[in-house]
């Protein structure tokens, strides 16, 4: 493709876009493009957050009730099902835009609140409950006493590049995406750049893989570009198996065309004509929206053969995974696409040399590819100006656990953990004290109070025994047992191990057994069980190091991280479990001990009747007692006691 001089670049791009828009002969499509481009509202629009989080909070009932309201009041309005805007804790979210007025957003709109809300807004009145905020638009009338939604505490510190359209646009409308500048970066790429120039541009932008490893994306593309082959592949890894991670799902549900555009640019850069999106089957809504978006892009000539007469071919297929965590590892993922069992392979050769079906292959995750269009739009210097010296751009995190505002946040690299949790996330729920945050899922580690001011970037997190990972942030408060957390992650890792290599398969099983033993009461004080418990904890750290050093793939190599991290920062809790046989947080039920205050016990017998093991004895109207050998620490007695006579000791 011939290079263009600077004078003709913008002219050609605009001409192609104009032709692109006019490709459709459907008058309704052309009308939609015009309306979206000029942000014209012909009739009221009701936007309902219908991502997975919204549906889980009751958005389906809200949708049904809204349709019933419009029908019964004979109101001609359009209902748009959007993705998640990120504020999952406020779902179901409903936005309303009346012609001539700013779009306004309301939270927790369950079916019982629909009628009252719509009654007020259609009368241009605000309900008693405060709105989340309004979307300020030039020429539109503002709502009194309602702040700009971008000034909301949850959004004010964010910089939304990947999430820019999520929760805002109709995710299954290619016309709205185009009207907002969508696919312009792809057309610009085809019109202006040679493939190797695209790779170099991404290198100089500083974009690193957002899937956890942080390898420079452009460098990976350049390796694949340099390979000579009759066929190359691009794979989008949307498997997302980490507990507490839901970033990729939300991006696909809320803005699938951005991912497709990023993939199209990446494929052009490496010379790939075929691509796969590998996504777990547990994401049915994301899969449905992907299929619709791919069909729309194909119908518009953005995918397929000889795209815009450039000689470029590109097709995308969706491949559903069976939910195996190990298939997030790139070699196991490729085996799964090939129809084989998902098991890792040693490297080299690396996928960029010999990957899918033995051909050069690039694998990037959803967030990485969704960053690409904005880099081509704004420029490499602009993107590189965001973040830290070695970590450029933004990062999307999924906030969950004991946090006031759960959801998705996108912050510039270099933002501190404290700002994410206490400025954006609103702090710890119910006024509890912060204890730790698990970052990076099962492969990551804990960030404690003393490290809250650390900057989010690839290198800083490694210094405190954590890692970026895909972006899950699970927040824990004072009521969390860190030994139990380590046991949860180890149980997950052990079940998800592919079983190919002994260190991961057997080592994680032994680590889980040790953790289970120290969170369980010894069955007999005369046996060697107490000694075994002590020996186990002495070997735990050594065993973790061996697994880390000798496992075949990244899953096994990072499997011991939760244990090593909690041992490093919360060794006192391990010691309490081992030596005192107590769980300081009272979470490990097998270590809990209950005692009845005989002065407060009325002898009502309710506790003894409800005890599942018959561990409570005593006559009616006389104080009762707990037989410790029979007690399993379930706490049922404490829950049913009306006289607060039972306490945990």
């Amino acid at each position: 493709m011939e290079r263009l001089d600077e004078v003709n670049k913008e002219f050609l791009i605009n001409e192609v876009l104009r032709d692109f828009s006019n490709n459709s002969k459907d008058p309704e499509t052309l009308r939609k493009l015009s309306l979206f481009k000029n942000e014209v509202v012909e009739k009221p629009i009701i936007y309902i957050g219908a991502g997975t989080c919204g549906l889980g909070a009751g958005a389906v009932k809200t949708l049904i009730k809204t349709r019933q309201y419009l029908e019964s009041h004979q109101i001609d309005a359009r209902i748009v099902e959007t993705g998640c805007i990120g504020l999952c804790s406020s779902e179901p979210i409903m936005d309303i835009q009346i012609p001539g007025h700013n779009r306004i957003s309301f939270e927790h709109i369950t079916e019982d609140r629909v009628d009252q809300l719509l009654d007020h807004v259609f009368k241009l009145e605000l309900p008693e409950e405060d709105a989340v905020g309004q979307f300020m638009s030039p020429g539109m009338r503002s709502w009194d006493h309602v702040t700009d939604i971008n000034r909301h505490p949850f959004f004010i510190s964010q910089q939304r590049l990947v999430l820019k359209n999520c929760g805002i646009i109709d995710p299954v409308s290619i016309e709205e995406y185009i009207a907002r500048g969508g696919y312009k970066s792809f057309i610009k790429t085809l019109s202006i750049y040679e493939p190797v120039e695209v790779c170099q541009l991404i290198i100089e932008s500083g974009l690193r893989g957002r899937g956890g490893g942080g390898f420079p994306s452009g460098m990976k593309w350049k390796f694949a570009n340099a390979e000579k082959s009759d066929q190359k592949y691009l794979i989008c890894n949307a498997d997302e198996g980490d507990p507490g991670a839901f970033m990729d799902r939300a991006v696909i549900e809320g803005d699938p065309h951005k991912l497709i555009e990023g993939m199209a640019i990446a494929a052009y850069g490496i010379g790939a004509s075929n691509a796969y999106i590998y996504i777990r089957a547990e994401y049915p809504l994301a899969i449905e929206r992907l299929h619709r978006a791919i069909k729309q892009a194909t119908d518009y000539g953005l995918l397929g053969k000889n795209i815009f007469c450039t000689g470029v071919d590109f097709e995308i297929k969706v491949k559903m995974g069976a939910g195996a965590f190990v298939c997030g590892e790139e070699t196991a993922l490729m085996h799964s696409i090939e129809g084989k069992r998902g098991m890792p392979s040693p490297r080299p050769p690396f996928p960029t040399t010999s990957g899918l079906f033995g051909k050069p292959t690039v694998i990037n995750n959803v967030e990485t590819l969704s960053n690409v269009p904005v880099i081509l739009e704004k420029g490499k210097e602009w993107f590189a100006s965001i973040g830290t010296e070695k970590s450029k751009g933004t990062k999307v995190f999924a906030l969950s656990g004991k946090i006031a505002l759960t959801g998705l946040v996108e912050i510039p690299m270099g933002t501190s953990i404290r700002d994410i949790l206490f400025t954006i996330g609103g702090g710890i729920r119910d006024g509890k004290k912060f204890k730790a945050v698990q970052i990076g899922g099962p492969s990551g580690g804990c960030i404690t109070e003393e490290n809250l001011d650390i900057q989010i970037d690839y290198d800083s997190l490694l210094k405190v025994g954590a890692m970026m990972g895909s972006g899950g942030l699970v927040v824990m408060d004072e009521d969390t047992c860190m030994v139990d957390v380590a046991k949860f992650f180890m149980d997950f890792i052990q079940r998800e191990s592919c079983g190919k290599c002994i260190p991961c398969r057997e080592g994680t099983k032994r680590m889980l057994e040790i953790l289970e033993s120290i969170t369980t009461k010894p069955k007999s004080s005369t046996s060697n069980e107490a000694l075994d418990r002590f020996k186990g904890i002495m070997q735990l750290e050594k065993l973790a190091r061996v697994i880390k050093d000798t496992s075949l793939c990244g899953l096994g190599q990072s499997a011991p991280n939760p244990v090593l991290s909690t041992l490093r920062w919360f060794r006192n809790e391990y010691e309490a479990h081992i030596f005192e046989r107590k769980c300081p947080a009272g979470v490990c039920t097998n270590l809990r001990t209950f005692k009845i205050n005989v002065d407060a016990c009325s002898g009502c017998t309710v506790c003894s009747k409800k005890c599942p093991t018959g561990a409570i004895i005593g006559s009616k109207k006389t104080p009762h007692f707990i037989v410790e050998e029979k007690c399993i620490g379930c706490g049922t007695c404490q829950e049913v006691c009306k006289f607060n006579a039972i306490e945990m000791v």
Side-chain angles (χ1 to χ4, degrees):
M1 189 181 298
E2 295 182 3
R3 296 175 60 87
L4 300 168
D5 58 63
E6 295 294 331
V7 177
N8 291 325
K9 284 182 180 179
E10 195 64 30
F11 172 78
L12 177 58
I13 293 167
N14 289 329
E15 284 298 309
V16 174
L17 282 171
R18 188 177 297 109
D19 292 341
F20 168 47
S21 299
N22 291 331
N23 261 352
S24 176
K25 305 302 180 183
D26 179 14
E28 178 62 18
T29 299
L30 294 174
R31 187 183 69 84
K32 284 181 179 179
L33 282 168
S34 176
L35 291 177
F36 287 133
K37 186 173 182 179
N38 298 300
E39 298 186 355
V40 176
V41 177
E42 295 181 317
K43 57 185 178 183
I45 304 178
I46 300 172
Y47 302 87
I48 297 176
T52 297
C53 55
L55 297 176
V60 172
K61 294 180 179 179
T62 301
L63 275 165
I64 295 171
K65 191 68 174 178
T66 302
R67 292 192 183 105
Q68 291 173 347
Y69 179 94
L70 296 177
E71 184 178 344
S72 63
H73 289 76
Q74 297 183 340
I75 296 174
D76 182 19
R78 188 164 73 97
I79 298 177
V80 175
E81 299 179 32
T82 70
C84 175
I85 198 171
L87 194 54
C88 301
S89 55
S90 294
E91 297 282 7
I93 293 176
M94 179 185 288
D95 298 355
I96 306 172
Q97 185 163 16
I98 305 295
H101 289 72
N102 283 331
R103 176 173 168 176
I104 187 169
S105 182
F106 299 91
E107 61 183 349
H108 303 305
I109 306 302
T110 48
E111 60 174 331
D112 56 306
R113 296 188 59 201
V114 170
D115 287 359
Q116 183 182 6
L117 175 65
L118 295 180
D119 280 342
H120 279 89
V121 177
F122 281 129
K123 294 176 184 176
L124 300 181
E125 301 173 354
L126 286 177
E128 293 182 5
E129 296 86 352
D130 291 334
V132 175
Q134 61 179 319
F135 297 81
M136 309 301 289
S137 299
M140 298 291 181
R141 190 176 304 168
S142 297
W143 296 86
D144 293 336
H145 311 299
V146 178
T147 59
D148 182 344
I149 195 166
N150 292 316
R151 306 298 298 173
H152 187 283
F154 186 78
F155 296 107
I156 192 170
S157 298
Q158 295 192 45
Q159 187 169 355
R160 294 164 68 88
L161 307 183
V162 173
L163 301 179
K164 179 182 177 181
N165 293 329
C166 292
I168 308 296
I169 68 171
D170 182 351
V172 295
S173 171
I174 191 173
E175 295 87 6
E176 186 166 1
Y177 182 72
I178 293 167
R180 291 173 175 266
Y183 290 110
K184 184 174 182 179
S185 293
F186 177 44
I187 296 169
K188 175 182 177 181
T189 301
L190 293 181
S191 305
I192 295 174
Y193 297 111
E194 295 291 342
V196 71
E197 292 179 306
V198 176
C199 300
Q200 189 61 35
L201 187 151
I202 297 300
I203 290 174
E204 293 175 10
S205 74
L207 177 66
R208 295 172 65 174
R210 300 300 197 247
F215 190 83
S217 302
M219 192 67 70
K220 186 185 291 188
W221 294 11
K222 197 168 185 178
F223 292 154
N225 175 278
E227 293 292 329
K228 304 298 181 184
S229 177
D230 60 338
Q231 179 67 63
K232 298 179 184 179
Y233 292 100
L234 172 70
I235 298 175
C236 171
N237 183 355
D239 192 53
E240 195 170 50
D242 288 4
F246 47 91
M247 302 78 60
D248 293 351
R249 184 200 73 205
V251 170
I252 294 173
E253 290 177 355
D255 195 7
H257 284 286
K258 178 171 285 186
L259 171 61
I260 292 172
E261 183 177 12
M263 291 182 68
I265 295 170
Y268 174 72
I270 67 176
S273 58
N274 287 278
Y276 288 87
I277 299 176
Y278 187 87
I279 183 169
R280 56 202 308 108
E282 294 94 330
Y283 286 176
L285 182 59
I287 292 168
E288 176 196 338
R289 291 183 176 173
L290 267 179
H291 281 299
R292 292 182 66 175
I294 291 170
K295 184 180 185 306
Q296 289 174 345
T298 303
D299 291 344
Y300 268 71
L302 289 156
L303 298 178
K305 303 292 184 181
N306 194 23
I307 299 170
F308 288 108
C309 301
T310 59
V312 175
D313 302 335
F314 183 54
E315 295 179 353
I316 299 176
K317 294 180 182 178
V318 177
K319 169 68 176 178
M320 289 186 289
F325 180 66
V326 73
C327 285
E329 197 276 339
E330 56 184 22
T331 58
L333 184 155
M334 290 187 294
H335 288 154
S336 180
I337 293 177
E338 292 170 348
K340 303 172 185 175
R341 183 179 178 183
M343 299 180 74
S345 296
R347 292 170 295 180
F350 292 95
T352 52
T353 301
S354 178
L356 188 65
F357 304 115
K359 303 295 184 180
T361 305
V362 165
I363 305 172
N364 289 129
N365 84 328
V366 173
E367 186 182 345
T368 307
L369 292 164
S370 295
N371 268 294
V372 173
V374 73
I375 295 175
L376 269 295
E377 176 193 355
K378 302 280 191 180
K380 60 186 180 183
E381 294 85 2
W382 176 86
F383 188 83
S385 69
I386 304 169
T388 63
E389 182 182 354
K390 295 184 179 179
S391 301
K392 305 296 184 182
T394 61
K395 181 72 187 79
V396 179
F397 287 98
L399 270 178
S400 61
K402 306 296 183 67
I403 190 80
L405 301 177
T406 57
L408 288 175
V409 302
E410 184 175 1
I411 49 88
M413 293 283 195
T415 304
S416 71
I417 297 282
R418 187 183 301 277
D419 284 342
I420 296 175
L421 301 187
F422 292 92
T423 302
I424 298 174
I428 308 305
R429 205 165 54 205
D430 302 324
K432 297 281 188 177
K433 185 180 178 182
F434 170 81
K435 189 168 193 177
V437 58
Q438 176 78 12
I439 182 170
S443 302
C446 290
I447 302 293
T448 58
E449 177 81 37
E450 63 188 276
N451 293 314
L452 273 179
D453 292 311
I454 193 171
Q455 288 187 334
I456 287 283
D457 64 31
Y458 291 97
D459 302 314
S460 298
L461 292 172
L462 292 175
K463 294 177 182 177
V464 294
M467 62 181 293
M468 185 87 71
S470 58
L473 285 175
V474 182
V475 183
M476 292 163 274
D477 65 12
E478 58 190 282
D479 296 332
T480 304
C481 171
M482 301 310 294
V483 180
D484 185 65
V485 168
K487 185 172 72 171
F488 167 80
F489 281 115
M490 191 51 58
D491 177 62
F492 176 85
I493 287 288
Q494 196 275 321
R495 285 186 288 107
E496 293 293 338
S497 172
C498 75
K500 184 174 184 178
C501 65
I502 293 174
C504 181
R505 183 185 70 234
E506 299 299 327
T508 56
K509 189 180 294 185
R510 299 287 85 80
M511 289 184 72
L512 179 61
E513 288 174 355
I514 293 170
L515 292 172
E516 287 175 337
S517 73
I518 65 176
T519 55
T520 306
K521 287 180 182 177
K523 295 177 182 177
S524 172
S525 58
T526 59
S527 70
N528 293 329
E529 193 167 344
L531 179 60
D532 290 339
R533 283 159 53 91
F534 182 75
K535 287 171 63 179
I537 194 62
M538 294 293 289
Q539 294 295 322
L540 189 60
E541 201 162 359
K542 181 180 179 181
L543 182 57
R545 299 292 180 191
V546 171
I547 296 171
K548 196 174 183 70
D549 293 339
T550 59
S551 291
L552 176 64
C553 77
L555 170 63
Q557 292 163 9
S558 60
N561 285 356
V563 173
L564 291 172
S565 180
T566 50
L567 266 173
R568 178 180 180 183
W569 302 112
F570 300 97
R571 185 173 290 270
N572 60 319
E573 290 197 26
Y574 279 86
E575 292 173 350
H577 281 72
I578 296 164
F579 301 120
E580 300 174 30
R581 297 176 183 175
K582 288 184 179 180
C583 174
V587 172
C588 300
T589 55
N590 284 322
L591 292 181
R592 295 197 298 185
T593 302
F594 291 90
K595 181 180 179 181
I596 297 177
N597 183 346
V598 295
D599 295 328
C601 180
S602 66
C604 68
T605 72
V606 172
C607 60
S608 62
K609 291 176 181 177
K610 295 292 184 179
C611 179
T613 60
I616 300 178
I617 58 174
S619 302
K620 195 171 184 178
K621 296 185 179 180
T622 61
H624 284 46
F625 299 90
I626 297 175
V627 180
E628 190 172 333
E629 289 75 14
K630 291 184 177 182
C631 179
I632 59 174
C634 66
T636 302
C637 56
Q638 189 180 46
E639 293 173 6
V640 300
C641 182
K642 299 179 181 179
F643 303 97
N644 297 322
I646 302 176
E647 56 186 22
M648 186 168 62
V649 294

